[in-house]
Amino acid sequence: MPNLENLKKQAKQYLRWHRERYHPVAAEIRAALPRFRHLDDHQVLEAAFKLSDAQELVARRLGFSGWQALKTGTAAMGTQVKQPIGTPVLSGTEAVLYVADIHASCAFFTSKLGFAIDFLYGDPPYYGLVVRDRARLCLRYVGEPVFMGDVRERQQLLSASITVDTAAEIKQLFLEFQQAGVGFFRELRSEPWHARNFIVRDPDGNLILFAGPAD
């Protein structure tokens, strides 16, 4: 475990990131501090966040109930063996799409696929997040091709896979995108494994699978 002085510096770093509205820190705050868990990223960054909150964040990430417990634990490290913390629980996953123009990509996902912009980071933006219900897609600017030639299309290399719960929803979603003029890499079809799916191609050639049960 780092010494107490280093942990104090970590807490001040979290406080500084929050004041600077550094979006990636919002997820760490929400995951560690129960009172922030009902807030989205924007709300976390707008909420009051003090040094004591940052210290609690550091403590909870190390398996302690709070800052005082962490201080006691670090003092006792020389005489006690720290009890193992519980098995980590993965709380979510987000696909990352590599794009050449963040603004153009956001326009596509919001106007064609019904997503909303959660945040954009950088000036000019080089990273962002779009969301629709529980689907979250990260957009990362890159200035050069990620794939060589047509390998992505030939191998059908998916950048993201998004699911719905029912057969009616996957059909409705396909019709919604069709009406919006979305370009499909592959239209709605049934698969041998009792699923129905289709693949959308975004402006950068990223292939995004939408899938649901067959019936």
Side-chain angles (χ1 to χ4, degrees):
M1 176 186 292
N3 63 45
L4 189 59
E5 288 304 312
N6 286 336
L7 297 175
K8 289 179 179 178
K9 292 178 182 178
Q10 287 182 25
K12 291 179 180 178
Q13 179 67 71
Y14 280 120
L15 182 63
R16 182 161 54 252
W17 279 340
H18 184 272
R19 288 174 177 170
E20 294 173 352
R21 300 298 187 265
Y22 177 55
H23 273 275
V25 80
E28 295 191 50
I29 294 172
R30 186 169 51 248
L33 303 181
R35 59 188 172 279
F36 291 93
R37 285 180 185 166
H38 67 287
L39 305 179
D40 62 27
D41 287 357
H42 288 293
Q43 291 170 328
V44 170
L45 295 177
E46 291 299 325
F49 188 76
K50 306 182 293 295
L51 178 59
S52 58
D53 297 313
Q55 290 173 336
E56 183 182 353
L57 170 59
V58 171
R60 285 181 175 272
R61 291 193 66 208
L62 291 173
F64 294 93
S65 60
W67 185 251
Q68 186 57 47
L70 181 147
K71 290 171 64 178
T72 302
T74 55
M77 282 298 288
T79 58
Q80 298 181 18
V81 176
K82 182 177 177 291
Q83 294 296 317
I85 62 175
T87 302
V89 176
L90 304 183
S91 59
T93 182
E94 297 171 359
V96 178
L97 307 184
Y98 300 109
V99 303
D101 186 325
I102 290 281
H103 291 297
S105 293
C106 285
F108 171 78
F109 282 101
T110 56
S111 65
K112 298 291 188 180
L113 303 189
F115 282 72
I117 299 172
D118 187 77
F119 73 83
L120 294 175
Y121 185 76
D123 185 18
Y126 65 86
Y127 189 80
L129 179 71
V130 293
V131 300
R132 175 170 174 172
D133 305 319
R134 295 190 300 274
R136 298 162 64 87
L137 298 174
C138 300
L139 307 177
R140 178 66 165 86
Y141 166 77
V142 291
E144 55 188 334
V146 176
F147 292 91
M148 296 295 292
D150 64 346
V151 63
R152 179 160 42 181
E153 288 76 14
R154 286 190 289 104
Q155 299 293 331
Q156 296 187 23
L157 302 179
L158 299 176
S159 296
S161 180
I162 300 172
T163 60
V164 296
D165 293 333
T166 68
E169 287 177 300
I170 192 64
K171 181 178 180 181
Q172 181 180 347
L173 192 64
F174 174 75
L175 294 175
E176 174 192 325
F177 290 173
Q178 191 177 56
Q179 187 173 6
V182 171
F184 295 101
F185 176 76
R186 191 179 72 210
E187 297 197 348
L188 183 64
R189 75 181 191 186
S190 297
E191 302 288 1
W193 48 90
H194 306 294
R196 299 188 78 194
N197 56 44
F198 60 88
I199 299 176
V200 167
R201 180 194 284 111
D202 80 353
D204 292 278
N206 291 302
L207 302 181
I208 306 167
L209 177 78
F210 293 85
D215 50 37

